[in-house]
Amino acid sequence: MSLYVMKFGGSSVGDTERMKRVAKRIADKQDEGHHCVVVVSAMGDTTDELIDQAKQLNGQPPAREMDMLMTTGEQISVALLSIALHGIGRDAVSYTGWQAGFRTDDTHGRARINEIVPRRVLESLEKNRIVIVAGFQGMTLDGEITTLGRGGSDTTAVALAAAIKADVCEIYTDVDGIYSTDPRIVKSARKLKEISYDEMLELANLGAAVLHPRAVEYAKRHQVKLVVRSSFNTNEGTVVKEEASMEQGVVVSGIAYDKNVARISILGVPDMPGVLAQVFGKLAEEGVDVDIIVQSGVQNKKADFSFTVSLDDMERAKEVIEQMHATLPYSEVTSEDNLVKVSIVGAGMVSHPGVAAQMFEVISKQGVSIKMVSTSEIKVSCVIESGNLQHIIQALHTAYNLDTTEQAFVGGPQDRR
């Protein structure tokens, strides 16, 4: 018997009817002769509703209490799903993250998994039970409840699959696989049969919401076979694995975009050793993640440089830099927030010169200026103004021969948890 980990997001279990459909899906998998461990997110908009309630009481709620609150959504989901399975004659048992053995560090809101001790999960599997585990949560060695942050349920599923040596980890969502770009904005998007860990990691980091980067990192590190498929139909999904075969004539595998981008520029910085280390070291200390960094030429022993952060971190980053003014005598700090990062990703780019130039040409024909560029062996990213995004994505998709006549399947609201 094969061992499957099946993860269902909030949109898949958004109400009792969807919960029944998921229970039937799990039962069918068991009837095929497989052991099943299921990871579930909170139902629908439960998490957002809990956050809103907390902020009505306190504009800055304590992180520890937010973790106490947020984990209740998943506990409701696992209990209801187990009840649904019992209702169709299946022996199922639900566990919280800590009951399933997830031990984390003590960073509330974005904890990291230190180890998994899946004793109770394995004991239940030996009794041929279907095991339902709450995603997104764990516990410290001191008994403090923690949450894993955005994408935490994906990470829970992949980490658990690695810990119990599952044959496959299936991520069920509202689309029936990984597409060459967001099928909601490009109807001709192509579903990929397979994609490499490295390509998927780039796409996930660059804004593709179908899988979270931490989950892909975990899968790559532990060689977990991932399959992304729809919870609304039985279509074959997309396999994420070490090496993926390249389709003939397709150099770029996918196009991603990220609207959560702000650019900060520091002007008139003294051109001296250690300045960049000082600035970005301090930002790192304050927990601000920096993405693209560009330094311009030096004039009169002064330099300008720009970097991008998430919109959520823009004000905090500016505050950190302003606090450094006494030790870093720059002339001005500016910021922009009407930006988007557009990226192309593909393992075939390594051996095909001119891919970046083609991207620049396509964007320029849309009448849009490129503000910043970042490249690696398998990706090119451009930061541009956000006004003409859909036309640019479509134009890039066509330029790199990714269009298809097949209809993309989108079954429900986008699920990012």
Side-chain angles (χ1 to χ4, degrees), residues 35 119-129 131:
H35 291 296
R119 177 183 57 81
R120 297 184 72 175
V121 173
L122 294 172
E123 286 175 354
S124 296
L125 286 171
E126 287 176 4
K127 297 173 183 176
N128 206 29
R129 285 179 158 180
V131 181

Side-chain angles (χ1 to χ4, degrees), residues 295-341:
Q295 180 172 334
S296 62
V298 178
Q299 289 186 338
N300 300 321
K301 297 184 179 180
K302 301 283 186 180
D304 303 336
F305 63 90
S306 302
F307 59 92
T308 60
V309 296
S310 71
L311 282 173
D312 297 337
D313 284 340
M314 182 178 74
E315 293 303 324
R316 188 151 53 110
K318 288 167 65 177
E319 287 175 9
V320 171
I321 294 164
E322 286 163 4
Q323 290 167 5
M324 298 177 65
H325 200 193
T327 56
L328 183 69
Y330 55 80
S331 60
E332 187 181 3
V333 175
T334 64
S335 61
E336 297 173 82
D337 60 7
N338 60 333
L339 303 173
V340 63
K341 181 171 67 174

